[in-house]
Amino acid sequence: MFNNVGSISLPTIARILKRHQVSIKQLNCVPFERNADRVKQMRTEYVQRVMELDAEYDHHKFIYLDEAGFNLAKTSRRGRNFIGQRATIQVPGQRGANITMCAAISEDGVVGRRPHIGPYNAALLVTFLDELDQTEEFFSAWRWKVHDRHPHEQVTLLQAMDDACNDITADQCQAWIRYARRFFPRCLANQNIHCDVDENLWPNPQHRVDDNVEVQ
């Protein structure tokens, strides 16, 4: 490939790539699978079931749950400071164990949460559901509220995760649920639902396929 050259230095490779206008960039994770036929069919069936329950005489309370991972090493990647001065933040000397929190929300607010050191599995999820006797927006807001507390120890991180749940209001949960339901007509129509990254990076829908993405 390199005309029998035994080795080549990294700076040389970098110069060649730069000459061809290729640079290191942050990878954007794009969930192309969200619009696979199988997923769209599952969305349609889910919305149909929810609408059937809504139409029944007995009132149903819908509970939405998901999980989010936290680690002491997770901090904000951006910060502000005067021009010419670095933005710094104190971080723990060790990464520590991953902590996963499973939480559930309803129109009443956060109705349950359960932390676990390590990942969640089916058995833990069933246990969490038994203890109860919604959504990506909640977990996004929750992560920021945890970061705002700047936890530097594992016990402090657990406390920050738990305290941050108390900052989530019922009004916020109701707004997230209303926002999710706005997608029901598109789900029933079997339409594609793209995230902002999809539409900004690949405005042509034909380019939004896994075969066109190569990660080294």
Side-chain angles (χ1 to χ4, degrees):
M1 182 180 295
F2 295 106
N3 297 323
N4 297 322
V5 175
S7 63
I8 186 170
S9 67
L10 291 178
T12 300
I13 295 176
R15 287 197 302 271
I16 294 174
L17 292 175
K18 184 177 181 180
R19 187 183 308 160
H20 291 276
Q21 299 182 349
V22 177
S23 63
I24 296 294
K25 300 180 182 296
Q26 179 179 348
L27 289 176
N28 290 278
C29 298
V30 181
F32 289 113
E33 181 68 14
R34 75 165 67 216
N35 291 314
D37 291 339
R38 176 185 62 84
V39 176
K40 288 196 290 188
Q41 180 61 31
M42 292 172 60
R43 282 202 297 257
T44 301
E45 294 174 356
Y46 168 79
V47 172
Q48 289 174 340
R49 179 55 179 158
V50 171
M51 295 181 68
E52 289 174 359
L53 293 173
D54 282 341
E56 291 184 1
Y57 179 79
D58 294 332
H59 175 71
H60 293 273
K61 175 188 286 189
F62 293 97
I63 296 177
Y64 305 84
L65 60 91
D66 203 345
E67 62 185 58
F70 294 85
N71 192 283
L72 290 176
K74 282 191 175 181
T75 59
S76 300
R77 297 300 181 184
R78 297 180 181 273
R80 296 184 183 274
N81 205 345
F82 293 106
I83 295 176
Q85 299 183 25
R86 292 184 177 181
T88 61
I89 185 174
Q90 293 184 353
V91 297
Q94 296 181 348
R95 176 181 175 85
N98 291 325
I99 301 177
T100 306
M101 178 81 89
C102 189
I105 68 172
S106 72
E107 292 185 349
D108 297 329
V110 180
V111 296
R113 69 258 198 175
R114 194 172 196 270
H116 175 73
I117 298 179
Y120 252 74
N121 55 31
L124 290 170
L125 183 59
V126 170
T127 300
F128 175 71
L129 291 174
D130 289 339
E131 291 176 350
L132 286 179
D133 221 32
Q134 271 187 290
T135 64
E136 292 296 330
E137 288 79 8
F138 158 71
F139 282 93
S140 177
W142 183 27
R143 283 192 178 99
W144 280 112
K145 292 180 183 296
V146 173
H147 291 323
D148 289 343
R149 286 171 165 78
H150 305 295
H152 299 304
E153 300 175 3
Q154 190 150 297
V155 175
T156 307
L157 176 59
L158 277 169
Q159 187 63 49
M161 292 166 63
D162 194 60
D163 291 344
C165 281
N166 296 327
D167 292 343
I168 303 296
T169 66
D171 289 340
Q172 288 176 305
C173 293
Q174 292 168 13
W176 294 327
I177 294 172
R178 288 196 302 269
Y179 175 78
R181 283 176 170 262
R182 287 172 51 191
F183 289 88
F184 279 13
R186 296 175 63 182
C187 294
L188 292 174
N190 209 33
Q191 295 179 357
N192 289 347
I193 298 178
H194 298 292
C195 64
D196 293 338
V197 176
D198 298 342
E199 297 170 353
N200 292 336
L201 297 182
W202 290 275
N204 186 347
Q206 295 180 352
H207 295 166
R208 301 171 192 161
V209 293
D210 291 334
D211 293 339
N212 290 335
V213 179
E214 183 176 344
V215 179
Q216 298 293 341

